[in-house]
Amino acid sequence: MRKLSIFGATGSIGQNTIDLIRRAPDAYDVVALSGGTNIAQLSKNAIELNAKIAVTAFPDQLDALRDALAGTGIEAAAGEAALVEAASRPADWVMSAIVGAAGLKPGLAALEQGATLALANKESLVCAGKLLMETAQRNAATVLPVDSEHSAIFQGLVGEDMEAVERIIITASGGAFRDWPLDQLAAATVEQASSHPNWNMGQRITIDSASMFNKALEVIETREFFGVRPEQIEVIVHPESLIHSIVGFRDGAMMAHLGAPDMRHAIGYALHWPQRQDLPVERLDLAKVASLTFKAPEAARYPALALAYEVMERGGLMGAVFNAAKERALDHFIAKKLGFLDMSHVVAAVMERMDGESGLIDAPMTLDNVLRIDHLARRAVDDLAPERIG
Ligand code: NDP
Ligand code: MG
């Protein structure tokens, strides 16, 4: 039996992972499941999958978790240190599906114990890619992509020489506002931004799809995962979301990965890698699909995208600034204190301000430095735009 843990088990990726696991319960020995405030879901899944430990990220939820697990023999724990302790427990395969930079420490802990890390938590690669990859290497651990685009690229590269890769083309649905008149974007509401045309995902990544902050993170994720140069990474809007990404080679050939927009595809690939197993995903009927369309992303619609290239050009700890400023700006947008387009203005201003502070961005990429930068960038978002943030 494979020992497995799922961090962010109660979220969209976590639940899709559990959907696959519960189809073959005898194949897996579940070590740890983690969640946040959804204690009913966390305890239900922990009991169903007979996990050894269930952890909520939030200490004020511990009593509720203990009550829900009373008499089951399943350990209950709470808080960041408990997440890290649970991630340090030996497991063959660990799903990293916490949302935000909060996924970094548990991800590092899982790699330190040599687990294969299925990485949905792109934020940890954006804020600390080098640290994550070096930790994996030092511990002979493997990191597998779960983001659909990166899974597609990874699959397109099987058996290929990286030297032969000319370009990587990441597809983007264009999000909720892809067809909106540009002059209405500034007034877009949280409710309008929270509905995705093709994918069913957590609220934060859905809003990040509308602003393309998600694609910006994915551009950086591509660089960290595959080691390509920024100028080799392109983004194309593909409204049908059936091509998940494309690798272009030096002979002009392009390998595209197609499939229904269902995250169980990428999760299942990471779960069974290096094999392929049957997955309960819809099969595409290309005659019904009939056509696939593409268009270049408009800079005015998606200002976040250009910021990703600035982050890569600057290097150092700028990824940690970018991710944290984005997370904090998104908090304020969700709280209806910041406008939709203000998010990218505020993030750009924080990047510029922190770049001006001597030595900050060029400090070595240690966990402490990443966490310090993360904290400073969030605070800078709060200070920077009092006229915008009510
Ligand atoms: P959700 O919001 O649906 O789930 C997030 C999970 O993290 C939940 O289990 C939540 O607990 C938990 N959580 C929330 N805050 C914290 C915290 N501070 N510390 C620890 N745990 C916390 O997100 P998604 O499943 O959509 O996304 C998860 C990750 O996967 C993100 O990094 C996202 O970018 C990435 N991803 C998601 C895709 C998708 O299709 N959804 C596609 C590609 C990547 P609770 O709900 O109990 O409060
Ligand atoms: Mg993606």
Side-chain angles (χ1 to χ4, degrees):
M1 284 220 284
R2 282 173 85 197
K3 279 182 188 289
L4 154 166
S5 293
I6 305 172
F7 290 84
T10 52
S12 164
I13 291 285
Q15 290 296 300
N16 275 306
T17 308
I18 289 174
D19 178 79
L20 295 179
I21 303 300
R22 73 156 66 90
R23 290 164 196 264
D26 297 340
Y28 305 107
D29 180 8
V30 177
V31 179
L33 295 183
S34 93
T37 54
N38 193 347
I39 298 302
Q41 189 69 53
L42 179 60
S43 54
K44 181 169 161 256
N45 289 140
I47 293 167
E48 170 196 4
L49 298 172
N50 198 20
K52 307 281 175 299
I53 181 170
V55 187
T56 163
F58 308 118
D60 63 354
Q61 302 287 326
L62 182 57
D63 287 346
L65 183 61
R66 276 203 182 117
D67 288 350
L69 293 175
T72 61
I74 300 170
E75 256 180 89
E80 190 184 79
L83 282 173
V84 170
E85 191 279 324
S88 312
R89 296 190 183 192
D92 303 303
W93 191 90
V94 174
M95 168 55 77
S96 167
I98 287 173
V99 63
L104 177 61
K105 281 192 197 171
L108 287 170
L111 290 173
E112 301 227 339
Q113 52 99 348
T116 291
L117 190 70
L119 191 73
N121 179 254
K122 64 192 90 184
E123 297 90 337
S124 52
L125 261 189
V126 172
C127 70
K130 192 160 155 260
L131 178 64
L132 203 84
M133 289 312 198
E134 280 176 2
T135 305
Q137 209 170 21
R138 203 175 54 245
N139 295 284
T142 304
V143 184
L144 295 173
V146 171
D147 216 347
S148 57
E149 296 77 3
H150 304 76
S151 176
I153 296 162
F154 189 72
Q155 294 179 51
L157 288 171
V158 171
E160 301 289 352
D161 183 347
M162 281 309 290
E163 292 279 295
V165 174
E166 193 169 67
R167 55 206 283 236
I168 289 183
I169 306 172
I170 308 174
T171 50
S173 68
F177 305 139
R178 63 191 180 200
D179 300 319
W180 274 38
L182 284 178
D183 60 3
Q184 289 181 20
L185 284 182
T189 66
V190 176
E191 291 70 25
Q192 288 163 333
S194 300
S195 128
H196 197 282
N198 306 344
W199 296 90
N200 186 5
M201 310 185 287
Q203 186 191 31
R204 296 181 71 89
I205 184 173
T206 301
I207 298 174
D208 284 348
S209 297
S211 62
M212 274 223 200
F213 265 114
N214 180 51
K215 211 50 55 180
L217 296 176
E218 290 182 358
V219 165
I220 301 169
E221 184 185 10
T222 301
R223 174 165 167 73
E224 298 298 335
F225 240 119
F226 304 106
V228 288
R229 297 186 307 280
E231 62 274 19
Q232 291 177 285
I233 307 171
E234 301 167 38
V235 173
I236 188 91
V237 176
H238 165 49
E240 295 84 8
S241 293
L242 297 178
I243 295 183
H244 300 308
S245 278
I246 302 165
V247 183
F249 295 95
R250 65 179 170 203
D251 59 357
M254 293 164 88
M255 300 284 275
H257 177 284
L258 282 81
D262 183 334
M263 284 310 294
R264 291 175 305 175
H265 210 129
I267 296 167
Y269 186 79
L271 181 62
H272 300 300
W273 178 86
Q275 267 107 46
R276 285 187 188 272
Q277 297 287 341
D278 292 353
L279 290 175
V281 298
E282 185 198 329
R283 270 52 177 173
L284 289 183
D285 178 339
L286 291 177
K288 268 199 195 135
V289 169
S291 68
L292 297 171
T293 59
F294 305 94
K295 62 180 175 185
E298 299 155 80
R301 188 178 299 279
Y302 304 118
L305 210 48
L307 297 178
Y309 290 86
E310 277 184 38
V311 168
M312 292 187 292
E313 195 177 314
R314 181 60 182 84
L317 294 169
M318 193 55 98
V321 173
F322 179 67
N323 179 66
K326 189 284 293 179
E327 287 194 33
R328 191 67 183 143
L330 179 59
D331 292 341
H332 289 301
F333 176 67
I334 291 173
K336 306 193 175 178
K337 290 178 172 174
L338 193 63
F340 183 71
L341 288 178
D342 289 334
M343 286 192 283
S344 56
H345 298 149
V346 167
V347 172
V350 168
M351 284 167 60
E352 196 182 326
R353 182 204 262 202
M354 288 182 66
D355 199 10
E357 289 181 35
S358 99
L360 202 61
I361 302 299
D362 294 311
M365 188 179 281
T366 59
L367 180 59
D368 282 350
N369 284 340
V370 169
L371 297 176
R372 190 166 73 96
I373 288 274
D374 179 284
H375 173 75
L376 291 174
R378 283 171 208 258
R379 222 174 49 194
V381 170
D382 293 356
D383 308 338
L384 200 80
E387 73 281 6
R388 289 199 173 107
I389 297 169

